[in-house]
Amino acid sequence: MTTVKKPIKILYVEDNEMNRLLVRRLLEPRGYQLFEANDGISGVKLAEEIEPDLILMDINLPLLDGHAATTRIKSIDRLAGIPIIALTSNVMEGDRQRSLVAGCDGYIKKPLDVDEFPGQVEGYLRGNREKVEEDDEQVFYKEYSAKLVLKLQKHIEELEEKNQKIEQQSKEMREA
Ligand code: MN
């Protein structure tokens, strides 16, 4: 009896349509089954739904950025083993480390090198993993959690402001 090999599922979380098109064009002909999400929240949800073999993660994303989406996915037990590769044009000093401390297993720079890219993906599927250098780890972890808390604070402030507006409006309506 022959067993039909299941296609390898790759989830690409990316808000730029041209990038999604390019990656699809590079990977689909090689037999990978491609899934796409265009923001961080739907990326997490789709990952839970399809349990892909590998996730390519843009970093600058609406709703939940790629770092937060990665941290969230890695915190879900049955998804924790899925390699997540940051695909980003953030190429400033430290951006590689920032992605790795957020939970990414690798880092590919945009614009993609179309000749190298399929081989890079294959390497990660075969088990290539990157690690943040021990000396950097503490510093970047601290920076990351501070950034998350700051975001949370801003978010709560925004909600609070909206709430007050709504209360003010309904007060005015009652008094009218
Ligand atoms: Mn983006």
Side-chain angles (χ1 to χ4, degrees):
M1 203 178 90
T2 54
T3 48
V4 179
K5 233 174 92 188
K6 270 201 284 179
I8 291 170
K9 291 188 275 190
I10 296 180
L11 168 62
Y12 185 22
V13 189
E14 166 69 76
D15 58 331
N16 180 300
E17 200 184 343
M18 293 308 290
N19 288 336
R20 292 203 303 268
L21 210 74
L22 175 65
V23 164
R24 204 185 315 150
R25 244 195 341 236
L26 291 171
L27 295 184
E28 268 182 351
R30 288 171 169 82
Y32 300 117
Q33 191 181 6
L34 222 69
F35 296 83
E36 292 166 2
N38 55 17
D39 66 69
I41 299 271
S42 32
V44 172
K45 287 187 176 159
L46 197 54
E48 289 189 273
E49 196 185 311
I50 63 170
E51 296 191 23
D53 298 283
L54 178 128
I55 298 171
L56 299 168
M57 184 71 79
D58 178 31
I59 299 306
N60 298 315
L61 282 168
L63 300 185
L64 200 61
D65 73 28
H67 290 151
T70 296
T71 303
R72 173 68 190 128
I73 291 168
K74 289 287 182 181
S75 75
I76 301 169
D77 278 349
R78 69 189 162 90
L79 306 181
I82 300 171
I84 303 182
I85 313 307
L87 231 66
T88 174
S89 44
N90 295 353
V91 285
M92 291 187 328
E93 180 73 31
D95 280 329
R96 180 181 155 274
Q97 289 90 329
R98 286 187 185 95
S99 294
L100 297 179
V101 298
C104 290
D105 302 284
Y107 180 81
I108 297 175
K109 284 177 195 168
K110 283 195 286 202
L112 299 178
D113 181 327
V114 293
D115 298 317
E116 297 273 330
F117 180 66
Q120 291 171 309
V121 168
E122 204 190 302
Y124 289 121
L125 280 165
R126 274 202 314 259
N128 287 356
R129 298 292 180 267
E130 288 177 58
K131 276 226 156 67
V132 63
E133 299 67 22
E134 232 174 273
D135 288 349
D136 289 341
E137 212 171 4
Q138 278 291 333
V139 179
F140 282 98
Y141 267 122
K142 252 190 180 167
E143 184 199 271
Y144 184 48
S145 47
K147 207 161 66 185
L148 287 179
V149 174
L150 178 63
K151 262 192 189 163
L152 185 62
Q153 182 189 342
K154 281 186 178 161
H155 189 64
I156 292 170
E157 281 170 355
E158 266 176 41
L159 286 177
E160 190 56 29
E161 214 172 288
K162 278 183 194 157
N163 255 335
Q164 278 172 6
K165 265 188 201 149
I166 292 171
E167 273 173 35
Q168 185 61 34
Q169 279 170 355
S170 57
K171 198 177 154 212
E172 283 166 11
M173 274 166 65
R174 277 197 308 271
E175 287 168 357

